[in-house]
């Protein structure tokens, strides 16, 4: 069963045609990796799925994105509930300058939950799910800014999980992290894929092969090739894909 | 011609280091000199009676209690009005208006407001608040003028601070489903609090130190103002009157010392609170 269906998607920023005729399906509770050279539209694609591009005045799109049989761009679709359902983890860890607890509780509070016991329970569960609980359980009131970069990124994942999403979008979540922190995030992704549909943008081919089941190769705003990750990396069907994954450009 | 040949880099470095240290020391020296002079001359007359008694014989004797209350009144009125307006305008500019003509107009307006001499504000206050709106000579009229004077400071400092809040905070908040307003009041403004508070304190210390801006509008009453429509005489105005009318130079220094201490306490106190808040926020 598919969680997300993208039909004839075209995205423009002003006159610039950024995404061209994207047709793809993202299956439920698996990891899909998006690879491709810088500037080919991976982030833009990701940010179209949780409507973050709505914040950019020159953004315009054609085509549909269907999540659980619903068109997320239909006028009656509530953006706040979409972004609760489709969480996002950014390239640079961006915790709020608040306590660890407040960071994780943020989404719940924003969505109107203020029951203290429930918040505490959710914060604990989310931190456990993000493999961070053991490191922070006795300093939940400390500022999130005092954590290391890798811890901050796991905190951002916990913050997203606390919203009880169905989909998690990750835009190069390890690109600002050291190898050990990167491994921890990858282990975490393996753990999370049973419960969440994960779409991860990565510059790192090894990472794509390690964490994802499916991979889509983007080039100049188009999806050149999508396949099972193993197949795409072992026997790419398109010449361009082969050139990219063998490091001939990008 | 090579500058390095005239002054070798190492020596140039030493000279510049010396100059920087000297200007730092000089700044502190001037501060100590001014504060020290006022406090040494003024503190001898400051005692509990001076703080809590009414003035006698135009201020030749007695205390400055009504002036302290007047100062609190006008400064509080200025703060209550200028703070929400200044912060509100800054939020509008940074979070809502896309750098358009209205934005430039508001910024330019704030710069002009900030550069108008305070005596001109005083005249405007007389014409507008005292005469036209018929608030008469009152702490309300004085407070309103000070509000207008403090407004650009609070606005400008708040705007700079809000603009410096990383957009990644806003993205994180939107990404969790927060609305624009939730993002502003739950993330952006709390992160900007240290800067905004600094702006408020700058505006308020400017307001509490003003004589010229209020001299035509607050009256010159020697009684303690009870209602906001009562006239008063804030500390700087009292100090000015005592000194220029040759009433009592000793009590002028005493008044100055009290004013300086109030400003110091406000500034140092809020700095300490802001530091603590910032440490809690950033863990630094
Ligand atoms: N806010 C924006 N306004 C205009 N153009 C943008 C904006 N964001 C991205 N772009 C352009 O869209 C293209 C795709 O960018 P992006 O999706 O960030 O690529 P990727 O994530 O694959 O590196 C780039 O050419 C970039 O310059
Ligand atoms: Mg990108």
């Amino acid at each position: 069963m598919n969680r997300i269906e993208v039909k004839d998607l075209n995205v423009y920023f002003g006159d610039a045609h950024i995404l061209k005729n994207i047709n793809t399906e993202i299956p439920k509770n698996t990891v899909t990796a998006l690879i491709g050279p810088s500037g080919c539209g991976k982030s833009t694609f990701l940010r179209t799925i949780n409507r973050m591009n709505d914040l950019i005045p020159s953004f315009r799109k054609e085509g549909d994105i269907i999540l659980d049989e619903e068109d997320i761009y239909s006028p009656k679709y509530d953006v706040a509930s979409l972004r609760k359902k489709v969480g996002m983890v950014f390239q640079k860890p961006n915790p709020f300058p608040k306590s660890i607890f407040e960071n994780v509780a943020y989404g719940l509070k924003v969505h109107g939950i203020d029951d203290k016991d429930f918040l505490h329970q959710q914060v604990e569960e989310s931190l456990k799910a993000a493999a961070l609980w053991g490191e922070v359980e006795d300093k939940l009131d400390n500022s999130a800014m005092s954590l290391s970069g890798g811890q901050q990124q796991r905190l951002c994942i916990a913050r997203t999980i606390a919203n009880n999403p169905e989909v998690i979008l990750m835009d190069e979540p390890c690109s600002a992290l050291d190898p050990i922190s990167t491994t921890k995030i990858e282990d975490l992704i393996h753990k999370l894929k049973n419960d969440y549909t994960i779409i991860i943008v990565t510059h790192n081919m090894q990472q794509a092969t390690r964490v994802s089941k499916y991979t889509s190769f983007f080039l100049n705003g188009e999806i050149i090739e999508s396949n099972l990750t193993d197949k795409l990396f072992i026997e790419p069907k398109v010449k361009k894909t082969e050139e990219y994954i063998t490091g001939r450009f990008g | 011609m090579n500058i390095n040949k005239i002054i070798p880099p190492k020596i140039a470095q030493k000279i510049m280091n010396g100059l920087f240290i000297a200007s730092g020391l000089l700044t502190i020296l001037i501060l100590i000199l001014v504060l020290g002079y006022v406090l040494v001359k003024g503190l001898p007359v400051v005692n509990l009676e001076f703080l809590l008694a009414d003035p006698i014989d135009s201020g030749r004797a007695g205390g400055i209690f009504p002036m302290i209350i007047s100062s609190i009144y006008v400064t509080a009125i200025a703060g209550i009005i200028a703070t929400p307006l200044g912060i509100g305008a800054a939020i509008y500019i940074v979070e809502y208006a896309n750098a358009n003509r209205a934005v430039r107009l508001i910024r330019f307006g704030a710069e002009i407001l900030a550069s108008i001499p305070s005596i001109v504000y005083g005249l405007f206050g007389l014409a507008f608040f005292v005469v036209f709106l018929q608030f008469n000579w009152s702490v309300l009229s004085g407070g309103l003028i000070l509000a207008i004077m403090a407004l650009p400071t609070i606005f400008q400092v708040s705007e700079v601070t809000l603009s410096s809040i990383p957009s990644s905070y806003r993205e994180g908040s939107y990404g969790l489903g927060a609305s624009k307003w939730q993002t502003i009041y739950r993330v952006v403004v709390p992160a900007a609090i240290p800067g905004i508070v600094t702006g408020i304190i700058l505006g308020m210390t400017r307001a509490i130190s003003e004589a010229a801006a209020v001299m035509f509008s607050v009256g010159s009453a020697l009684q303690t103002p009870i209602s906001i429509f009562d006239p008063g005489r804030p500390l700087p105005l009292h100090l000015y009157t005592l000194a220029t009318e040759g009433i009592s130079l000793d009590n002028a220094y005493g008044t100055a010392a009290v004013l300086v201490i109030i400003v110091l306490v406000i500034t140092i106190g809020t700095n300490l609170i802001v530091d603590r808040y910032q440490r809690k926020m950033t863990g630094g």
Side-chain angles (χ1 to χ4, degrees), chain A residues 47 52 55 80 83 90 94-98 106 109-111 143 145 159-160 163, chain B residues 168-169 171-178 182-183 186-187 190-191 280-283:
Chain A
R47 296 162 65 91
M52 284 294 268
L55 302 170
R83 294 192 187 139
F90 298 83
N94 61 345
F96 305 124
K98 296 174 181 291
Y106 185 84
K109 287 192 172 178
V110 154
H111 293 285
S143 169
M145 307 313 238
R159 182 172 81 174
T160 304
N163 255 344
Chain B
S168 64
Y169 292 175
E171 288 209 312
S173 175
Y174 290 130
L176 291 162
Q182 285 173 323
T183 301
R186 283 180 185 269
V187 177
K280 200 162 161 27
M281 196 166 72
T282 61

Side-chain angles (χ1 to χ4, degrees), chain A residues 37-44 46-47 91 171-172 201 203:
Chain A
S38 274
C40 67
K42 306 178 298 292
S43 297
T44 304
L46 221 51
R47 296 162 65 91
Q91 188 163 351
D171 194 349
E172 303 190 40
V201 173
H203 254 113

Side-chain angles (χ1 to χ4, degrees), chain B residues 6-273:
Chain B
I6 305 168
I7 311 170
K10 270 194 181 156
I11 294 179
Q13 181 67 52
K14 284 215 171 104
I15 293 173
M16 289 320 288
N17 285 353
L19 284 177
F20 289 137
I21 293 171
S23 37
L25 288 179
L26 193 66
T27 309
I28 295 172
L29 196 70
I30 293 171
L31 179 76
I32 293 173
L33 215 66
V34 173
L35 285 184
Y37 186 75
V38 170
L39 292 178
V40 166
K41 294 279 271 188
L43 280 181
V45 303
V46 178
N47 53 30
L48 213 56
E49 198 210 325
F50 188 70
L51 295 176
L52 297 181
D54 281 350
I56 299 167
D57 194 9
S58 305
R60 267 178 203 90
I64 56 167
F65 182 72
M67 290 75 205
I68 295 177
I69 299 299
S70 294
S71 272
I72 293 175
Y73 248 129
V74 291
T75 311
I77 290 170
I80 289 168
I81 292 167
T83 300
L85 274 182
I87 298 175
I91 290 178
Y92 168 73
I93 296 280
V94 176
E95 303 292 332
Y96 286 90
N98 303 311
N100 57 22
R101 212 178 277 167
V103 171
R104 262 175 289 156
L105 197 69
I106 294 176
R107 276 206 197 110
F108 183 64
E111 265 168 51
I112 299 285
L113 270 182
S115 60
I116 292 177
S118 46
I119 192 82
V120 176
Y121 278 104
L123 269 180
F124 169 79
L126 172 65
F128 190 67
F129 296 121
V130 178
V131 177
F132 180 72
L133 293 180
Q134 301 195 344
F135 291 158
N136 301 323
W137 284 339
S138 63
V139 287
L140 177 63
S141 297
L144 289 171
I145 296 163
L146 294 180
I148 299 177
M149 279 190 63
L151 182 61
T153 310
I154 298 177
F155 164 77
Q156 285 172 327
V157 178
S158 300
E159 198 218 333
V160 169
T161 310
L162 288 169
S163 311
S164 73
I165 302 301
S167 59
S168 64
Y169 292 175
R170 297 181 181 87
E171 288 209 312
S173 175
Y174 290 130
L176 291 162
S179 66
K180 182 160 198 161
W181 170 236
Q182 285 173 323
T183 301
I184 290 170
Y185 89 87
R186 283 180 185 269
V187 177
V188 179
V189 171
I193 284 287
I196 292 176
V197 170
T198 306
I200 296 172
I201 294 309
L202 277 175
M204 292 301 92
T205 46
R206 186 175 178 206
I208 204 169
S209 316
E210 260 307 322
V214 294
M215 65 198 319
F216 309 129
S217 58
V218 77
S220 197
L222 290 166
Q223 296 83 30
T224 305
I226 307 295
S227 114
I228 53 171
F229 296 106
D230 290 340
R233 188 195 279 197
L235 291 164
L237 190 54
H238 186 55
L239 157 53
Y240 173 80
T241 313
L242 290 182
T244 51
E245 294 180 11
I247 297 169
S248 163
L249 216 49
D250 285 345
N251 284 349
Y253 276 115
T255 309
V258 171
L259 185 57
V260 163
I261 290 171
I262 292 176
V263 171
L264 280 181
V265 167
I266 294 176
T267 310
I268 295 171
T270 38
N271 267 329
L272 290 176
I273 297 171

